[in-house]
């Protein structure tokens, strides 16, 4: 940490999420500053760095991590290059906030778990930001209180207005449903043991070759069942909803009723356009809590184990998508560091 106790953060990957995190650390987060930005697109990194006092642009994560100004790393590059950056951060024993996914598959996530275990202490928080959303936090507190008894079912909806070109059916699991995978494990504190994927007839607005929407079912170790509607080209906006059905009550979040308007004989409200606006507060809280914990010398939040478990369930989900069959997950035993 610098002599002022401000955490110097290197942000790796300055695309949509990375640039937003740079803005956040500069303008919203207290106790941290952006000391370095890294992007293989040198011009992009330089442009960002030029606008920030004391920030240096790099094209290589290792170069930034070697800087004495860098105390911690925020990884927001594409999933396939997370493993290399994580292992480089471990070599320097630097704390990391890694955007989801930890890595894109279970085998590489296991390598990260092994490397972190070799360090002997946890260093990684994974960017599953729903755990920091005010509504999800309320739902979690309610379920944990036991007021409504055991949770039997979760009904989840995950809708995007549209997808960028090249968005595949597998990405519906790996990039989108991965959030419901983490939400389920976090809310219920149970591992997911099996996945089934049903494909209704595609929407006529679905891009060629994309089976959209899909209906995903999880079974959990404790016997709960979770359904997820994933509809990534719904056309009307970004909606993430979750209803927990318990033994003596149910609770739902994500209805977006922050403000209801009445006019001209109709009532209504607004639907978020994308995750950046829907989860803005959650991202702010996630990064602030990471900075606060790091400055205290602690590691909190979703662990590398959570990242691994999500990757393993995604793999089962992609197999279930391809075969149409109920597919068991196959997780290794949870190492002591993550118990
Ligand atoms: P993006 O494509 O907009 O940006 C990625 C950036 O990383 C690009 O500028 C690219 O040049 C750079 N890059 C590529 N390889 C690199 C490397 N080896 N080293 C440094 N920089 C490199 O992607 P994005 O949408 O910003 O996604 C980034 C990450 O954030 C992904 O892991 C994605 O899954 C995650 N994400 C999370 C959420 C969330 O809600 N938590 C939402 C969107 C994306």
């Amino acid at each position: 940490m610098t002599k002022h106790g401000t955490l110097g953060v290197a942000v790796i990957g300055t695309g949509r999420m990375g640039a937003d995190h740079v803005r956040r650390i500069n303008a919203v987060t207290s106790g941290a500053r952006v000391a370095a930005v890294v992007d293989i697109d040198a011009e992009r990194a330089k442009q960002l760095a030029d606008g920030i006092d004391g920030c240096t642009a790099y094209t290589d994560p290792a170069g930034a991590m070697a800087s004495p100004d860098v105390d911690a790393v925020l990884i927001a590059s594409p999933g396939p290059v997370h493993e290399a950056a994580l292992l480089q951060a471990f070599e320097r024993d630097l704390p990391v906030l890694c955007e989801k996914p930890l890595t894109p598959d279970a085998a590489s996530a296991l390598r990260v778990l092994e490397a972190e275990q070799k360090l002997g202490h946890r260093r990684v928080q994974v960017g599953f930001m729903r755990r920091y959303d005010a509504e999800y936090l309320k739902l979690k507190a309610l379920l944990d209180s036991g007021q409504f008894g055991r949770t039997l079912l979760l009904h989840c909806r995950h809708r995007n207005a549209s997808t960028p070109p090249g968005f595949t059916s597998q990405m519906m699991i790996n990039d989108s449903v991965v959030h419901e995978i983490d939400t389920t494990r976090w809310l219920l504190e149970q591992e997911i043991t099996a996945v089934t994927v049903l494909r209704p007839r595609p929407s006529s607005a679905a891009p060629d070759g994309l089976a959209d929407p899909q209906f995903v079912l999880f079974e959990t170790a404790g016997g709960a069942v979770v359904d997820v509607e994933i509809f990534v080209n719904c056309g009307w906006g970004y909606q993430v909803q979750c209803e927990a059905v318990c033994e003596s009550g149910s609770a739902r979040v994500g209805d977006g009723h922050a403000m209801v308007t009445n006019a001209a004989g109709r009532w209504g409200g607004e639907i978020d356009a994308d995750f950046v606006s829907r989860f803005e507060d959650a991202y702010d809280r996630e990064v602030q809590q990471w900075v606060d914990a790091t400055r205290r010398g602690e590691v909190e939040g979703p662990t590398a184990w959570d990242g691994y478990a999500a990757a393993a369930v995604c793999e089962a989900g992609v197999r279930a998508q391809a075969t149409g069959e109920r597919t068991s997950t196959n997780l290794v035993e949870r190492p002591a560091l993550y118990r």
Side-chain angles (χ1 to χ4, degrees):
M1 235 168 280
T2 70
K3 59 181 183 287
H4 306 295
T6 301
L7 195 73
V9 179
V11 177
I12 300 175
T14 57
R16 189 167 187 198
M17 286 308 290
D20 196 42
H21 284 315
V22 166
R23 176 202 59 77
R24 171 169 294 106
I25 292 170
N26 257 338
V28 181
T29 312
S30 60
R33 70 180 194 92
V34 182
V37 289
V38 185
D39 206 297
I40 50 170
D41 181 340
E43 190 49 37
R44 195 175 167 79
K46 185 178 175 309
Q47 264 182 15
L48 259 184
D50 283 352
I52 302 168
D53 266 0
C55 177
T56 309
Y58 297 83
T59 51
D60 162 36
M65 290 184 210
S67 161
D69 293 337
V70 169
D71 311 299
V73 178
L74 194 163
I75 300 177
S77 46
V81 297
H82 287 183
E83 179 183 0
L86 283 161
L87 298 182
Q88 285 164 342
F90 291 167
E91 274 170 27
R92 296 193 171 271
D93 205 9
L94 290 169
V96 184
L97 173 56
C98 180
E99 263 304 344
K100 66 85 194 162
L102 178 69
T103 65
D105 58 75
S108 52
L110 270 181
R111 290 195 290 272
V112 171
L113 282 192
E114 275 157 23
E116 197 178 40
Q117 287 173 86
K118 272 196 195 135
L119 281 181
H121 47 250
R122 285 177 23 214
R123 270 305 189 207
V124 181
Q125 174 179 328
V126 181
F128 286 124
M129 79 299 183
R130 288 205 199 156
R131 298 188 186 206
Y132 298 88
D133 176 65
E135 291 186 55
Y136 273 89
L137 283 165
K138 267 191 191 163
L139 180 60
K140 171 74 173 149
L142 178 70
L143 300 186
D144 284 355
S145 76
Q147 200 184 328
F148 288 176
R150 292 179 306 162
T151 307
L152 309 173
L153 299 164
L154 296 178
H155 301 300
C156 310
R157 294 188 196 98
H158 187 153
R159 299 173 179 152
N160 297 69
S162 63
T163 50
F167 198 88
T168 64
S169 214
Q170 289 91 329
M171 289 164 87
M172 290 170 73
I173 302 286
N174 291 332
D175 290 87
S176 303
V177 176
V178 65
H179 285 291
E180 275 72 26
I181 292 171
D182 183 65
T183 307
T184 296
R185 297 182 59 257
W186 172 65
L187 286 176
L188 303 183
E189 295 180 9
Q190 295 169 30
E191 294 298 352
I192 294 169
T193 52
V195 188
T196 307
V197 180
L198 303 175
R199 298 177 179 211
R201 63 180 176 179
S203 157
S204 50
D208 273 352
L210 192 69
D212 186 30
Q214 296 183 19
F215 193 77
V216 183
L217 281 176
F218 304 140
E219 295 164 55
T220 73
V225 170
V226 177
D227 62 77
V228 184
E229 171 203 308
I230 177 71
F231 191 6
V232 293
N233 286 279
C234 75
W236 63 79
Y238 181 74
Q239 287 182 313
V240 166
Q241 298 167 338
C242 177
E243 180 179 30
V245 180
C246 307
E247 291 169 310
S248 60
S250 74
R252 193 166 74 190
V253 296
D255 285 331
H257 287 168
M259 181 171 74
V260 174
T261 54
N262 301 285
R266 291 178 171 270
W267 61 268
E270 282 183 13
I271 302 176
D272 280 294
D274 59 22
F275 48 83
V276 175
S277 63
R278 165 65 182 87
F279 285 111
E280 185 179 0
D281 287 354
Y283 295 124
D284 288 352
R285 206 170 284 117
E286 171 188 66
V287 173
Q288 187 64 64
Q289 290 191 14
W290 173 65
V291 167
D292 292 347
T294 303
R295 293 176 78 209
R296 291 195 306 271
E298 294 170 10
V299 180
E300 294 178 343
T303 65
W305 170 261
D306 295 315
Y308 158 73
V313 177
C314 282
E315 281 189 1
V318 169
R319 283 200 303 277
Q321 240 182 358
T323 61
E325 287 173 9
R326 174 183 180 276
T327 304
S328 297
T329 59
N330 185 20
L331 270 64
V332 300
E333 195 181 329
R334 190 192 286 235
L337 187 62
Y338 306 105
R339 280 182 208 138

